[in-house]
Amino acid sequence: LRLADYLLIAIIGLVTGSILLGHGPLAGNEGHRAIAAQTMLANHQWLLPELFGQLYLAKPPLHYWILAAASKLLGDGSEFTWRLPSVIESTLTAMILMVFTARWFGRSVGIAAGICCCAMVALWGQNRTAEIDAGNTTACILFACLAIDMQTSSGGASRKQIVYAGLVCGAAMLLKGPAGASLLLGSIIGPQLFAHKLVSSSRRAWLALLIGVTFFMLYVLTVIAKL
C-alpha cells in the first residue's frame, strides 16, 4: 500500500461522514452519551460515568472518555463535536479493512475493500451519530483481523501482536461490554471451523481475548466497589 491509498480512504470516509454532521439535533440515546461525557468534564470524575447525579451503567465508560476528549480538544460541546469521533472511527474501520485485505489478497483488493466499507449504506447511520456503535465496530473488526491473521499466518503470532490484540479487545469490551463479545469470539472460532480442525496458534488469540476481558473485569470490580 502507498500513502496515496491511505489518503484516498481517509478523504472518502471523513468528507462523506462530516457533511451536515451537526445539522440535526441529538436523537435517541445520543443525549445520554453527550451528557455523561460533559459531566465527566465538569466534575473531573473519569472512571465511572454519571447521568443527572447517578451512576450511568448502561455501557462501560470508554465511549464517554472519547466524547469528553473530543469536547476538550475542540473546545466546545456540540452535535458536530460529539458525532465527529464516530466519523473518525468509521474511517479507521475502512482503513483497517484495506490494510488487512491488501495483506491477504493484494493492494488492488485492499483498496476496493476500503472503498466498499465507506459505501456500505448499513453503516452510514452509526457512522454519523454520538452512539457507541461506530467505535465498537472499529475495535471488533480490528480484533477480528488480528485474530484471523495470528491463526493463519505461517510465521505465527508475535508477542506484540498478542498485546495489540489484547488492548483492542479491551477497548471493545470497555465500549459495549459482553454485548459485543459475539464477534470477538467468532473471529477466534471461525478460522477453526473453516479449517475443520483446531488451529494450533489459536491459543494466542484466546490469550489476547483474556487480556481484553481482564480490562472489562477491572471495570466491573470498580463498579461493585462503588456500589
Side-chain angles (χ1 to χ4, degrees):
L1 290 173
R2 304 168 185 170
L3 178 60
D5 302 333
Y6 292 95
L7 291 176
L8 173 65
I9 302 303
I11 290 172
I12 294 175
L14 294 175
V15 171
T16 57
S18 299
I19 295 175
L20 300 177
L21 186 64
H23 184 67
L26 298 179
N29 290 332
E30 284 187 289
H32 297 174
R33 318 303 181 203
I35 294 172
Q38 293 302 113
T39 302
M40 284 183 171
L41 283 174
N43 297 342
H44 302 288
Q45 298 289 338
W46 301 100
L47 192 55
L48 298 176
E50 294 183 357
L51 192 65
F52 304 120
Q54 302 294 324
L55 280 179
Y56 184 56
L57 304 177
K59 291 292 184 294
L62 181 53
H63 184 64
Y64 311 120
W65 297 342
I66 294 173
L67 296 190
S71 296
K72 185 71 173 180
L73 289 173
L74 296 182
D76 75 332
S78 65
E79 288 85 349
F80 180 89
T81 299
W82 294 320
R83 291 168 177 162
L84 183 60
S86 291
V87 177
I88 296 173
E89 289 159 354
S90 64
T91 303
L92 287 175
T93 299
M95 297 179 75
I96 289 166
L97 288 172
M98 178 183 68
V99 169
F100 280 92
T101 305
R103 172 182 170 88
W104 296 332
F105 304 108
R107 175 173 173 258
S108 60
V109 181
I111 296 172
I115 294 175
C116 288
C117 180
C118 293
M120 289 182 66
V121 178
L123 297 181
W124 287 358
Q126 72 172 30
N127 294 351
R128 296 173 55 83
T129 68
E131 282 287 1
I132 294 170
D133 301 288
N136 182 67
T137 299
T138 303
C140 288
I141 290 295
L142 179 52
F143 178 81
C145 289
L146 287 169
I148 292 170
D149 199 56
M150 284 192 292
Q151 295 179 88
T152 58
S153 176
S154 58
S158 66
R159 291 181 180 178
K160 286 185 178 180
Q161 281 181 305
I162 297 172
V163 171
Y164 294 154
L167 292 175
V168 171
C169 178
M173 295 296 293
L174 287 176
L175 281 165
K176 213 165 186 178
S182 57
L183 182 55
L184 303 176
L185 290 170
S187 60
I188 300 176
I189 299 173
Q192 300 177 36
L193 296 177
F194 184 78
H196 301 291
K197 63 179 181 180
L198 180 65
V199 181
S200 61
S201 58
S202 64
R203 62 180 181 275
R204 300 182 178 93
W206 285 110
L207 178 58
L209 181 67
L210 179 61
I211 294 173
V213 171
T214 300
F215 281 103
F216 179 71
M217 291 309 300
L218 289 174
Y219 160 72
V220 171
L221 291 175
T222 304
V223 172
I224 292 173
K226 179 69 174 180
L227 294 176

